Amino acid sequence: MPITPDQQAEIDAARTDQHTTMRATVPGMEAHLYKAHEVLDHGFIRVIDYMGDDNAIVQAARVSYGRGTKAVQNDAGLIRYLMRHWHSTPFEMCEIKLHVKLPVFVARQWIRHRTANVNEYSARYSILDREFYIPAPEHLAAQSKQNHQGRGGVLEGEEAARVLDILWADSNRAYDHYEEMLDQDGQDGLARELARMNLPANIYTQWYWKVDLHNLFHFLRLRADSHAQYEIRVYADAICKVVADWVPHAFAAFEDYRLGGAQFSGKGMDCVRRMIAGEQVDQASSGMSAGEWREFQAVLQG
Ligand SMILES: Cc1cc2nc3c(=O)[nH]c(=O)nc-3n(C[C@H](O)[C@H](O)[C@H](O)COP(=O)(O)OP(=O)(O)OC[C@H]3O[C@@H](n4cnc5c(N)ncnc54)[C@H](O)[C@@H]3O)c2cc1C
């Protein structure tokens, strides 16, 4: 269960607390504040706080004294210009703080993004809940035959049932032993900081994660991408929806230039020019490796 009834009551109470401020607020973001958006079987993302809006990006770019806006059209155009030319620091003027509940093996990928501030639930201090990520049947993928880092078809029938049984049994057995080892009910047990080493990587952890918009876009560019593992991609997708409501112009520019756009190498550009000139270009004449050529073709074909 991503959120217990008690936790939901805390969220509801937090949402009745109102403040007046001269700072910029965004209606779309106020609607998200504190609410849990469910991800995977027990996970979520929640917006805890945010700073800035599309206008803050424009203000910083113009180093203006007041709101600093011209026409909305101009602001959107300026934001697109900044994104197009990799002028990144104005985007760093916006920040977001998220509460994320996620499986430990997803957290290991996520934490590689170093340009954020993180505070994680302490399993030295507290006892972790018995909550494991168990893939939904449609995500019980087989190992890809082509890509060592990817997935092939979906496991079915007896094979799927066997894998699910193993996941359930091992997760629960490890947790049973975790509980047995802990210093609970007056017994002299093992310290929490040691007992946790027996827990599986699909157990859920939680953290507060604060990041500026530039580095968030970098994270989303990598993790909302089809090459990212499904289990982190669904978190990135959920964050994308929030960011679209927070800074719609900046997100539209990001979607267009980064998520929807592509970067070509010098060889790639040369091939594109030759193709436009009507030349038949193949891998042999492209100067690219087989892998590069495959990826180039995939970009061209969409
Ligand atoms: C599809 C995919 C597959 C991956 N596979 C692997 C893998 O097999 N093994 C593996 O170990 N990782 C893997 N990674 C992780 C990847 O290599 C990066 O560690 C991760 O994406 C974080 O990127 P980053 O360092 O750019 O982000 P951040 O840490 O947020 O950094 C952002 C930028 O800040 C700068 N920066 C930050 N810290 C430093 C620093 N200390 N020194 C210099 N510059 C810095 C860099 O320019 C960096 O690009 C994979 C990632 C993806 C998306």
Side-chain angles (χ1 to χ4, degrees):
M1 182 194 299
I3 290 278
T4 65
D6 284 352
Q7 289 162 346
Q8 187 58 52
E10 278 187 61
I11 292 171
D12 293 343
R15 284 187 55 82
T16 62
D17 211 3
Q18 300 284 314
H19 306 271
T20 52
T21 177
M22 281 187 281
R23 294 168 51 222
T25 54
V26 180
M29 214 44 176
E30 297 292 305
H32 283 298
L33 267 181
Y34 314 135
K35 283 185 188 166
H37 298 287
E38 295 184 11
V39 186
L40 298 180
D41 49 359
H42 300 290
F44 59 70
I45 60 149
R46 301 200 299 133
V47 180
I48 300 301
D49 208 352
Y50 67 99
M51 180 174 79
D53 56 4
D54 273 328
N55 186 51
I57 300 164
V58 171
Q59 264 184 319
R62 296 190 176 126
V63 194
S64 59
Y65 288 84
R67 301 282 298 166
T69 49
K70 295 190 175 161
V72 171
Q73 195 100 359
N74 290 348
D75 288 351
L78 175 57
I79 287 174
R80 282 181 65 81
Y81 175 89
L82 298 171
M83 184 69 73
R84 192 161 66 246
H85 293 276
W86 303 88
H87 185 170
S88 51
T89 42
F91 296 99
E92 293 174 16
M93 301 299 156
C94 296
E95 293 207 353
I96 187 168
K97 182 160 64 181
L98 297 172
H99 177 187
V100 187
K101 185 173 168 193
L102 69 177
V104 164
F105 72 92
V106 176
R108 283 203 57 190
Q109 295 189 337
W110 195 309
I111 203 72
R112 298 299 305 281
H113 297 266
R114 299 156 289 177
T115 41
N117 307 107
V118 187
N119 192 67
E120 188 172 2
Y121 184 89
S122 173
R124 292 185 72 188
Y125 183 81
S126 308
I127 298 173
L128 288 170
D129 291 329
R130 187 189 283 266
E131 282 184 322
F132 317 107
Y133 169 62
I134 305 290
E138 65 272 25
H139 295 297
L140 211 55
Q143 173 61 46
S144 165
K145 297 267 188 286
Q146 287 89 36
N147 177 1
H148 292 306
Q149 226 182 33
R151 299 182 178 194
V154 175
L155 297 184
E156 281 172 4
E158 276 181 25
E159 185 60 4
R162 187 180 73 87
V163 168
L164 284 175
D165 280 353
I166 291 173
L167 287 172
W168 273 111
D170 284 1
S171 301
N172 281 297
R173 191 182 54 203
Y175 195 90
D176 287 346
H177 289 158
Y178 170 65
E179 278 190 322
E180 275 177 37
M181 287 189 282
L182 287 172
D183 60 341
Q184 297 193 101
D185 306 325
Q187 62 170 6
D188 277 341
L190 193 63
R192 291 169 188 182
E193 67 179 13
L194 283 173
R196 64 176 167 175
M197 71 180 147
N198 201 47
L199 292 170
N202 64 342
I203 197 158
Y204 274 83
T205 184
Q206 303 184 31
W207 59 35
Y208 268 38
W209 192 69
K210 182 167 73 67
V211 67
D212 66 59
L213 184 59
H214 165 64
N215 284 298
L216 179 60
F217 278 152
H218 181 63
F219 172 86
L220 295 174
R221 164 72 192 81
L222 294 170
R223 303 302 183 176
D225 184 82
S226 61
H227 297 94
Q229 177 168 347
Y230 166 79
E231 282 76 14
I232 193 164
R233 200 167 70 233
V234 283
Y235 283 90
D237 289 345
I239 296 172
C240 278
K241 288 191 186 134
V242 167
V243 178
D245 291 337
W246 173 27
V247 279
H249 292 317
F251 187 76
F254 167 71
E255 220 176 7
D256 193 21
Y257 289 116
R258 303 285 185 271
L259 288 184
Q263 203 172 347
F264 289 129
S265 64
K267 288 185 181 120
M269 283 309 301
D270 185 48
C271 288
V272 170
R273 289 192 187 101
R274 286 162 58 197
M275 287 167 171
I276 291 172
E279 194 181 328
Q280 283 288 336
V281 186
D282 58 12
Q283 193 224 317
S285 65
S286 71
M288 296 186 205
S289 68
E292 269 182 290
W293 179 252
R294 210 170 32 247
E295 290 169 18
F296 176 68
Q297 294 284 92
V299 170
L300 289 186
Q301 283 155 18

